[in-house]
């Protein structure tokens, strides 16, 4: 199997200061970037400095059946568990055809050293591919290079790593953090105190989202971020830290910036503390929609739809394409994040979505990344066999 000549350009994960077309640094992007259609190029706005050439330019097809290995850094919340279930479903379609022989998963539970050891074990087991939710943007670089040198593609989901030997299936979380913060700012009328609840400390996503949010808040001089805490994208942790903040922060809080699926938890914490429910951001979830249904006069949500089913689907589809030798053009494949506006919650709500539906996540009416659009990211594109977005499991099905 041949390999491309490899670059060691350093990747700046947190490119935060370019949110305008004027900052679109085309001259510094790899030549392959110019081959992307305009609608795909727009997904990289503000993070152009993170783009590198792909290390898989000449990566040929891998003989089936494949051994698929998945390295998780944290399974402590329903969102991550839902991602795993959908990934297992998709792998199962290929196993039925005999195209995948085995699926093995590891979970390091937030321990980066353990994740590195688990990935090394995958290399020793001669996995055909390693997909991963990385616990650090930098700490895995050495082991990612080891996988690449062993002929094993390394594909990350939902949070880019800085290794030039990985293919990152990501979204522009700098822009997402910015857009979410703008939603909060607009929701509170451009004035007031904001609590920021971030995810897992050290996660690549946290750094990217913070960069975008910082820019948005800097543009709003009458908005003050009074506290920064980590909720780990976990309901229990988020509730604990929110109540702690409310017990020690007497001033009014008009908005809460958070990017996870714990907006209902945040709202209930404010109710429990006897405080008015602020504008709350996040990624829409079933329990948040259920809470909204029961509290339409008081619960104001703004954010996006970082859906676990869609995250697993894009990760799997890119992984399959890499194994088939379709040769991704860049090291980062930016996937669009559907926006969820305050007046559109009714479009996302389903009857099964109650305030207790913590493990139910909405499904977008249409694929945010259709196969025809995904083709643009690859030099030798071909649609993902057996994949049909219409077969995405009904979130209300038992």
């Amino acid at each position: 199997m041949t390999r491309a000549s490899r670059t060691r350009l350093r990747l700046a994960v947190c490119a935060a200061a370019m949110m305008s077309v004027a900052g679109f640094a085309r001259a510094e992007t790899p030549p392959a970037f110019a081959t992307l259609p305009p609608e795909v190029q727009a997904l990289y706005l503000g993070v152009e400095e993170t783009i590198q050439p792909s290390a898989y330019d000449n990566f040929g097809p891998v003989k089936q059946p494949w051994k698929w290995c998945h390295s998780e850094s944290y399974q402590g919340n329903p969102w991550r568990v839902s991602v795993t279930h959908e990934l297992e479903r998709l792998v199962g379609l290929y196993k039925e055809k005999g195209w995948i022989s085995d699926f093995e998963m590891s979970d390091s539970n937030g321990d980066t050293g353990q994740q590195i050891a688990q990935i090394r074990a995958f290399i020793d087991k001669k996995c055909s591919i390693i997909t991963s939710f990385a616990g650090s943007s930098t700490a895995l670089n050495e082991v990612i290079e080891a996988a690449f040198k062993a002929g094993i593609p390394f594909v990350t989901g939902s949070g880019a790593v800085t290794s030039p030997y990985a293919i990152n299936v990501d979204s522009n979380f700098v822009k997402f953090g910015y857009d979410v913060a703008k939603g909060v700012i607009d929701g509170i009328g451009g004035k007031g105190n904001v609590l920021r609840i971030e995810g897992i400390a050290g996660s690549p996503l946290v750094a990217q989202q913070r960069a975008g949010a910082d820019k948005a808040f800097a543009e709003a001089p009458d908005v003050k971020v009074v506290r920064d805490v980590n909720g780990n994208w976990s309901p229990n942790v988020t509730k604990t830290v929110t109540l702690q903040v409310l017990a020690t922060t007497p001033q009014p809080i008009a908005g809460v910036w958070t990017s996870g699926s714990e907006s209902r938890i945040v709202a209930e914490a404010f109710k429990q503390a006897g405080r008015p429910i602020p504008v709350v951001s996040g990624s829409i979830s079933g329990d948040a929609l259920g809470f909204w249904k029961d509290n339409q006069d008081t619960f104001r949500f703004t954010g996006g739809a970082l859906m676990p089913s869609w995250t697993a689907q894009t990760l799997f589809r890119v992984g399959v394409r890499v194994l088939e030798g379709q040769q991704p053009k860049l090291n980062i494949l930016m996937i669009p994040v559907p926006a969820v506006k305050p007046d559109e919650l009714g479009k996302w709500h389903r009857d099964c979505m109650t305030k207790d539906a913590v493990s139910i996540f909405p499904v977008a009416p249409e694929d945010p990344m259709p196969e025809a659009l995904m083709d643009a990211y690859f030099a030798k594109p071909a649609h993902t066999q057996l994949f049909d977005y219409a077969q995405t499991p009904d979130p209300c099905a038992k």
Side-chain angles (χ1 to χ4, degrees), residues 69-72 115 119 130-134 140 154-157 315:
C69 299
H70 183 61
S71 170
E72 250 290 8
Q115 186 173 25
I119 293 171
I130 299 173
T131 52
S132 178
F133 278 55
L140 307 185
F154 196 96
V155 184
T156 74
L315 178 65

Side-chain angles (χ1 to χ4, degrees), residues 9 76 106 117 141 144 162 193 206 222 259 274 320 335 381 391:
L9 298 175
S106 62
N141 287 0
I144 292 172
T162 60
N193 295 322
V206 169
D222 294 327
S259 63
V320 166
I335 308 299
Q391 298 303 314

Side-chain angles (χ1 to χ4, degrees), residues 70-74 106-122 131-136 140 143 154:
H70 183 61
S71 170
E72 250 290 8
S73 58
Y74 185 69
S106 62
D107 176 16
S108 64
N109 195 30
D111 186 331
T112 302
Q114 184 175 358
Q115 186 173 25
I116 292 170
Q118 291 167 341
I119 293 171
R120 291 198 181 280
F122 282 160
T131 52
S132 178
F133 278 55
S136 167
L140 307 185
V143 73
F154 196 96

Side-chain angles (χ1 to χ4, degrees), residues 47-384:
V47 292
E48 300 85 359
E49 292 182 356
T50 69
I51 306 170
Q52 296 184 56
S54 170
Y56 295 83
D57 284 348
N58 296 316
F59 193 89
V62 177
K63 185 178 179 180
Q64 295 176 344
W66 302 321
K67 179 179 178 63
W68 197 292
C69 299
H70 183 61
S71 170
E72 250 290 8
S73 58
Y74 185 69
Q75 282 273 283
N77 59 53
W79 192 94
R80 286 286 184 95
V81 173
S82 295
V83 171
T84 299
H85 287 167
E86 178 62 2
L87 184 60
E88 290 174 333
R89 182 188 75 85
L90 295 167
V91 167
L93 298 176
Y94 277 55
K95 289 182 73 173
E96 289 177 1
K97 288 285 189 178
W99 299 346
I100 292 178
S101 59
D102 299 288
F103 176 74
E104 186 170 342
M105 177 184 147
S106 62
D107 176 16
S108 64
N109 195 30
D111 186 331
T112 302
Q114 184 175 358
Q115 186 173 25
I116 292 170
Q118 291 167 341
I119 293 171
R120 291 198 181 280
F122 282 160
I123 296 172
D124 292 340
K125 293 178 181 179
K126 302 186 184 304
C127 296
S128 303
I129 189 172
I130 299 173
T131 52
S132 178
F133 278 55
S136 167
S137 61
T138 58
L140 307 185
N141 287 0
E142 183 177 342
V143 73
I144 292 172
E145 181 178 356
F148 181 85
K149 289 180 176 179
I152 303 171
F154 196 96
V155 184
T156 74
S158 200
V161 295
T162 60
S163 171
Y165 303 103
I167 295 297
N168 299 286
V169 186
D170 207 359
S171 292
N172 188 340
F173 288 108
V174 175
K175 186 177 186 301
F176 179 72
Y178 179 88
D179 290 343
V180 168
K182 287 288 289 183
V184 173
I185 293 166
D186 292 343
I188 65 177
K191 184 177 182 179
N193 295 322
V194 171
L195 164 65
R196 178 159 52 184
I197 305 175
E198 299 184 294
I200 303 167
S203 165
L205 271 68
V206 169
Q208 295 170 42
Q209 292 170 355
R210 170 182 275 268
D214 282 346
K215 178 171 174 57
F217 289 130
E219 295 172 352
D222 294 327
V223 174
K224 180 181 180 182
V225 179
V226 291
R227 292 286 297 275
D228 276 305
V229 293
N230 288 92
N232 290 0
W233 297 309
S234 164
N236 292 337
V237 177
T238 296
K239 183 174 183 180
T240 297
V241 297
T242 302
L243 289 173
Q244 289 173 345
V245 167
L246 295 178
T248 57
T249 310
Q251 57 263 53
I253 295 176
V256 175
W257 181 100
T258 182
S259 63
S261 26
E262 295 77 41
S263 54
R264 189 266 303 179
I265 299 296
V266 172
E268 288 187 339
F270 273 79
K271 286 186 68 174
Q272 180 177 328
R275 304 275 288 264
I277 298 176
V279 174
V280 185
S281 71
S283 175
I284 197 62
S285 58
D287 61 316
L289 287 166
F291 186 84
W292 163 81
K293 188 70 173 179
D294 296 337
N295 300 273
Q296 296 184 43
D297 294 333
T298 57
F299 183 57
R300 294 168 294 164
F301 175 91
T302 182
L306 298 171
M307 299 163 290
S309 58
W310 157 66
T311 301
Q313 289 165 359
T314 52
L315 178 65
F316 178 78
R317 290 152 66 189
V318 170
V320 166
R321 285 170 176 252
V322 172
L323 286 171
E324 290 180 342
Q326 295 190 28
Q327 299 172 1
K329 296 177 180 179
L330 302 170
N331 72 314
I332 298 180
L333 312 186
M334 289 296 187
I335 308 299
V337 178
V340 180
K341 298 180 180 179
D343 59 351
E344 295 180 346
L345 296 182
K347 298 179 181 179
W348 293 82
H349 180 263
R350 300 282 296 277
D351 289 342
C352 68
M353 296 176 185
T354 68
K355 66 181 181 64
D356 298 317
V358 296
S359 299
I360 296 177
F361 298 91
V363 173
E366 298 179 355
D367 187 356
M369 178 53 70
E371 288 284 312
L373 186 58
M374 186 177 283
D375 285 348
Y377 295 84
F378 293 87
K380 300 178 179 179
H383 287 196
T384 311

